[in-house]
Amino acid sequence: LLVNHSISFQNLSFFYENAEKPALKNLNFDIKKGSSIGLVGSTGAGKTTLVDLILGLLEPSEGEFKVDHAIIDEKNTRQWQKSLGYVPQDIYLVDASISENIALGIPVEKIDQSQVEKCAELAQVHDFILEELAHGYQTQVGERGVRLSGGQRQRIGIARALYHDPEVLVFDEATSALDNVTEKAVIEAVNILSHKKTIIMIAHRLSTVKNCDQIIYLEQGEIIDSGNYQELIERNPKFRNMAI
Ligand code: DGT
Ligand code: MG
């Protein structure tokens, strides 16, 4: 159970309470272990709702969400969540050191500092921590510490998701506050890991998902097209417009 971590959605729909329209409508697709998938679509298309289903925070209203052919339910949700690394749209920093924020939930004496720094390097935030923060990894952040910018917080969030070396990485607009050069470096670093990890990347910007094996294009809760970047650019005028 939950060994290969291949994900599948079968006739999946989701309705929020009291909503007139479904937030997701009859989705069918598979994500193979070790592949990278991009989810794109305009605001309100249903991207975060889909991520919340993958994370086991929401249950399908209709149809099925399966991992390795098993429906994710109360019995296996926690087991599934342990294999996930998630970077939300907004990163929450606790009042603690940078190291504690990256190794979130680990008691200070058990933090693997070399793993913290390795993950910070992949997330392109290691140099910033060493060069710009007075006490490096021991600098206090959060409400009572140093204030970090949106892009700095995002990179801490990415390092945090990498710390536990998860099988599956889920990025919800996780690089939206980064400049193009930094975003490209983060994505390249993450793609190096992707031969063994499954990567699910949500984005507004097409450049973020350009190198994904498969891109799913959502509009008003429905998949209106899917394929790799080149295929979609060639056949889908709406997708082409997003690229401009
Ligand atoms: P974004 O983050 O602005 O790019 O938009 P998405 O693609 O992440 O959209 P999402 O999944 O947040 O919303 C999809 C639809 O569901 C949209 O019509 C708003 C609606 N919706 C989202 N969250 C809730 C909620 O908690 N309650 C209700 N009633 N509707 C919600
Ligand atoms: Mg969203």
Side-chain angles (χ1 to χ4, degrees):
L1 183 74
L2 314 188
V3 176
N4 285 315
H5 297 107
S6 17
I7 297 169
S8 80
F9 293 88
Q10 291 168 1
N11 306 318
L12 181 141
S13 297
F14 183 82
F15 298 82
Y16 284 104
E17 237 174 281
N18 304 322
E20 280 177 22
K21 287 189 306 177
L24 295 172
K25 197 165 151 190
N26 199 29
L27 304 190
N28 286 288
F29 68 95
D30 296 319
I31 307 173
K32 284 199 195 74
K33 177 191 170 78
S35 69
S36 57
I37 191 155
L39 290 173
V40 298
S42 51
T43 181
K47 303 182 296 296
T48 297
T49 305
L50 187 52
V51 166
D52 286 346
L53 282 154
I54 293 170
L55 298 176
L57 303 176
L58 297 175
E59 277 179 43
S61 311
E62 289 167 9
E64 281 159 355
F65 166 52
K66 290 180 176 174
V67 178
D68 292 350
H69 308 294
I71 292 174
I72 298 300
D73 56 21
E74 309 90 72
K75 291 194 292 292
N76 53 18
T77 299
R78 278 199 53 77
Q79 191 195 350
W80 164 237
Q81 286 171 338
K82 278 186 194 154
S83 60
L84 296 171
Y86 167 52
V87 189
Q89 276 181 293
D90 298 305
I91 302 299
Y92 179 73
L93 295 178
V94 294
D95 277 322
S97 70
I98 294 274
S99 284
E100 288 168 90
N101 268 282
I102 291 176
L104 191 67
I106 308 287
V108 184
E109 66 278 9
K110 289 197 174 144
I111 291 177
D112 177 348
Q113 186 60 25
S114 73
Q115 174 70 356
V116 165
E117 296 187 22
K118 189 178 132 200
C119 296
E121 275 179 42
L122 289 170
Q124 309 299 310
V125 71
H126 177 71
D127 292 348
F128 161 76
I129 293 166
L130 289 190
E131 288 163 20
E132 316 263 337
L133 298 179
H135 305 287
Y137 282 90
Q138 298 319 312
T139 306
Q140 297 292 304
V141 296
E143 293 276 299
R144 278 171 280 143
V146 181
R147 278 207 157 269
L148 299 181
S149 74
Q152 289 154 357
R153 280 207 306 278
Q154 282 194 330
R155 285 176 288 161
I156 300 279
I158 293 167
R160 179 187 286 169
L162 295 171
Y163 182 82
H164 296 281
D165 197 23
E167 293 267 342
V168 181
L169 277 167
V170 183
F171 284 13
D172 191 353
E173 303 273 359
T175 54
S176 60
L178 305 183
D179 61 76
N180 284 334
V181 175
T182 311
E183 179 185 49
K184 196 156 177 270
V186 170
I187 298 209
E188 273 169 15
V190 170
N191 280 340
I192 290 170
L193 305 171
S194 70
H195 58 278
K196 48 182 177 134
K197 293 191 191 301
T198 306
I199 298 178
I200 301 169
M201 223 174 246
I202 286 84
H204 268 108
R205 277 189 283 184
L206 288 189
S207 59
T208 312
V209 297
K210 199 166 180 172
N211 294 317
C212 287
D213 299 323
Q214 196 191 356
I215 298 173
I216 291 189
Y217 184 9
L218 281 175
E219 207 172 82
Q220 296 185 27
E222 287 184 79
I223 297 176
I224 59 167
D225 210 344
S226 66
N228 69 32
Y229 182 82
Q230 206 51 42
E231 286 166 357
L232 293 183
I233 283 283
E234 277 165 23
R235 71 162 174 247
N236 195 313
K238 273 189 178 170
F239 188 83
R240 256 199 316 274
N241 279 335
M242 274 181 76
I244 298 167

